[in-house]
Amino acid sequence: MKEVCVLGLGYIGLPTASVLATNGFKVVGVDVSQRVVDTVNEGNIHIEEPGLQTVVRAAIGSGNLRAAREPEAADVFIIAVPTPLTARKTADMSYVTRAAESIVPLLRAGVLVILESTSPPGTCRDLLRPILERSGLSVGKEIHLAHCPERVLPGKILKELIHNDRVIGGYDRAAARKARDLYARFVDGELFLTDATTAEMVKILENTYRDVNIALANEVAVLCERLGIDFWECAQLANRHPRVAVHRAGPGVGGHCISIDPWFLVEKFPDDAAMVRLARQRNDSMPTHVVRRVRDLLGDLQDPKIAVLGQAYKGNVDDIRESPAVHVVDLLKAEGLRCAVYDPHVKKGPHELVSLEECLHDADLLLVLTAHDEFKYLNPRQVARQMRTNLLLDTHNVLEHEDWTLAGFRVAVLGVGAAVNA
Ligand code: SAJ
């Protein structure tokens, strides 16, 4: 296995292609966007991810990585394209389908095809196998097919790509072993072999586990507000139990993974995946809850201005896909509330972004929607001087509330009831 063709140069494909190239493979990275292809060929990146620029530059500089619009013949094909959600909350497999179709003319005996994109259980067997067999070759005989789900955390992708354990699900044992040989070249973590459908389920289980746990945290946070107690204290104390690990409450769950993948189970098993559906609904309801808290805090202030801090779906990334922060602003604006939005990581979003000064100027409520480090280091006294009314709602519980209170702010925190805030 010398030549690898990686389909999709996004958050997973680009780091994977670059790391393979710096480990001696000849890699062609394929993307439908000419802009992405040009950017990568210049040794640059089109997404924000710590360390990625250096690795891409090294990979391009070594001559082992090249980006192109069309796939090329290779020993290994890695499919790392998006599997978004349709409006009907079903998996949109059109990118995977198109990627698989595009390599059919390039397949030859002995080739290894790896699906990395998170996909509903059964995808390798029921969707990919028939497409790949249009080549006249058989999956399980001439074509080795495996699902090796990515499990890297945005913000720590390069570290996790190398150090995380990986699950390698082969359509058959030979495919799993061949895929293991490839990952063994750059992964430090342990490699676990299984079948493809199990690997597909494992990946969705991981993200669903997190979603359900976050939903529980969010639900209890809302209950604590109603009880007039502090969710964060409850979670901290509960977590002193040896078998409890309560997740963090927040304005909702965003990103391209956790807010999407659980729906793949609901789609396949609408009756039996009831708890999974409920968790999704609880997390999706959090932006509305935030807006309710904002309304309560603003009371009868005339024509209030809200200074919104953050649009990314989580701290220190530039990704706004499915971001609850974006959704909160949608809802605030729909209610006719004036919002000035600032995010030091996001370059462009659906809502106009302004400078920090413009965001804070004459504002009445500071609304923290993303846990970027920059927000933790704001000087409360300086911010207080720029605003008209000193109200603060911290939906992530990340600021030093004592400092903000001392600077004259009335501080409210998601998950903390009025009795505690008072
Ligand atoms: N969140 C909470 N409370 C928490 C943890 C997270 O509200 O306690 C929110 C975040 O604010 C964010 C969302 O959940 O909006 C998701 O963030 P995340 O950091 O939990 O996860 P992602 O989506 O960035 O990456 C996840 C990871 N999966 C798991 O941790 C099980 C990552 O390892 C996967 O590779 C990635 O999904 C993926 O690509 O599937």
Side-chain angles (χ1 to χ4, degrees):
M1 290 186 286
K2 283 199 180 77
E3 294 174 346
V4 182
C5 180
V6 177
L7 295 114
L9 289 178
Y11 285 90
I12 304 304
L14 182 55
T16 304
S18 309
V19 167
L20 283 166
T22 54
N23 278 275
F25 290 93
K26 279 273 173 210
V27 184
V28 176
V30 180
D31 204 283
V32 289
S33 157
Q34 188 64 48
R35 183 180 66 84
V36 170
V37 168
D38 293 341
T39 307
V40 172
N41 278 331
E42 285 158 12
N44 291 320
I45 54 175
H46 59 101
I47 45 180
E48 185 181 300
E49 178 61 36
L52 184 58
Q53 173 77 73
T54 311
V55 183
V56 170
R57 196 164 288 156
I60 293 287
S62 71
N64 279 348
L65 175 64
R66 199 162 44 78
R69 290 283 301 278
E70 299 293 334
E72 297 176 14
D75 306 310
V76 184
F77 292 92
I78 298 180
I79 300 177
V81 295
T83 47
L85 206 61
T86 66
R88 289 181 297 115
K89 306 273 187 220
T90 58
D92 174 357
M93 298 305 288
S94 60
Y95 297 92
V96 170
T97 302
R98 273 203 294 279
E101 285 171 347
S102 74
I103 61 171
V104 168
L106 303 169
L107 298 176
R108 55 180 187 233
V111 77
L112 170 65
V113 179
I114 297 173
L115 174 68
E116 282 217 11
S117 315
T118 306
S119 303
T123 296
C124 281
R125 191 186 54 210
D126 303 332
L127 180 74
L128 283 188
R129 177 186 170 164
I131 295 175
L132 299 178
E133 290 190 337
R134 288 181 208 159
S135 62
L137 303 169
S138 294
V139 169
K141 287 196 184 117
E142 293 101 336
I143 300 173
H144 301 291
L145 173 61
H147 179 54
C148 307
E150 59 82 14
R151 25 159 71 155
V152 290
L153 193 71
K156 290 188 184 158
I157 290 181
L158 285 163
K159 184 169 168 262
E160 295 209 348
L161 195 58
I162 290 162
H163 297 293
N164 284 1
D165 295 344
R166 292 206 63 149
V167 176
I168 299 181
Y171 184 84
D172 55 87
R173 207 65 189 167
R177 281 198 290 264
K178 208 168 158 96
R180 177 191 54 200
D181 293 346
L182 177 88
Y183 287 98
R185 294 275 297 274
F186 67 95
V187 173
D188 263 2
E190 273 189 71
L191 304 172
F192 295 95
L193 271 52
T194 183
D195 65 276
T197 308
T198 300
E200 287 159 348
M201 186 53 139
V202 167
K203 167 69 198 195
I204 296 181
L205 169 62
E206 291 165 4
N207 281 353
T208 303
Y209 166 87
R210 204 149 163 84
D211 198 44
V212 170
N213 276 286
I214 298 168
L216 177 65
N218 282 333
E219 189 154 303
V220 174
V222 172
L223 302 184
C224 286
E225 287 180 6
R226 298 200 34 198
L227 282 165
I229 58 172
D230 182 339
F231 160 77
W232 303 96
E233 188 190 356
C234 290
Q236 200 182 11
L237 294 175
N239 285 344
R240 302 303 297 197
H241 185 288
R243 283 173 296 284
V244 174
V246 177
H247 280 48
R248 294 183 68 84
V253 169
H256 189 57
C257 312
I258 296 183
S259 63
I260 290 179
D261 304 348
W263 286 116
F264 296 178
L265 293 182
V266 178
E267 169 191 358
K268 238 181 152 69
F269 307 104
D271 297 327
D272 289 325
M275 188 177 67
V276 179
R277 184 205 309 266
L278 213 56
R280 278 281 67 246
Q281 287 166 344
R282 163 54 74 188
N283 288 333
D284 279 351
S285 76
M286 291 311 286
T288 307
H289 179 70
V290 171
V291 171
R292 215 176 293 134
R293 296 274 332 244
V294 167
R295 275 249 172 252
D296 287 350
L297 281 163
L298 291 174
D300 48 16
L301 267 178
Q302 285 307 299
D303 190 27
K305 172 182 167 183
I306 301 163
V308 175
L309 296 185
Q311 285 291 270
Y313 82 93
K314 68 174 183 178
N316 308 322
V317 301
D318 66 346
D319 195 339
I320 56 165
R321 288 177 297 176
E322 318 298 327
S323 176
V326 171
H327 193 37
V328 168
V329 178
D330 288 340
L331 295 172
L332 291 171
K333 285 187 171 171
E335 294 208 2
L337 290 162
R338 276 196 300 142
C339 296
V341 185
Y342 171 68
D343 191 304
H345 291 262
V346 176
K347 286 171 203 76
K348 205 171 171 305
H351 301 294
E352 188 200 350
L353 297 166
V354 298
S355 67
L356 180 61
E357 291 67 33
E358 212 177 312
C359 171
L360 299 177
H361 180 70
D362 268 349
D364 298 288
L365 170 73
L366 189 65
L367 177 59
V368 179
L369 292 179
T370 305
H372 289 317
D373 285 344
E374 287 87 342
F375 303 153
K376 299 174 199 163
Y377 305 130
L378 285 172
N379 181 329
R381 288 184 195 283
Q382 268 177 22
V383 176
R385 277 197 291 275
Q386 285 164 275
M387 291 176 61
R388 185 172 64 177
T389 316
N390 292 161
L391 294 171
L392 165 67
L393 175 56
D394 182 356
T395 66
H396 284 283
N397 189 29
V398 284
L399 300 190
E400 287 296 338
H401 300 140
E402 246 182 69
D403 295 349
W404 290 82
T405 307
L406 283 173
F409 276 85
R410 181 176 156 210
V411 176
V413 184
L414 188 132
V416 181
V420 183
N421 276 332

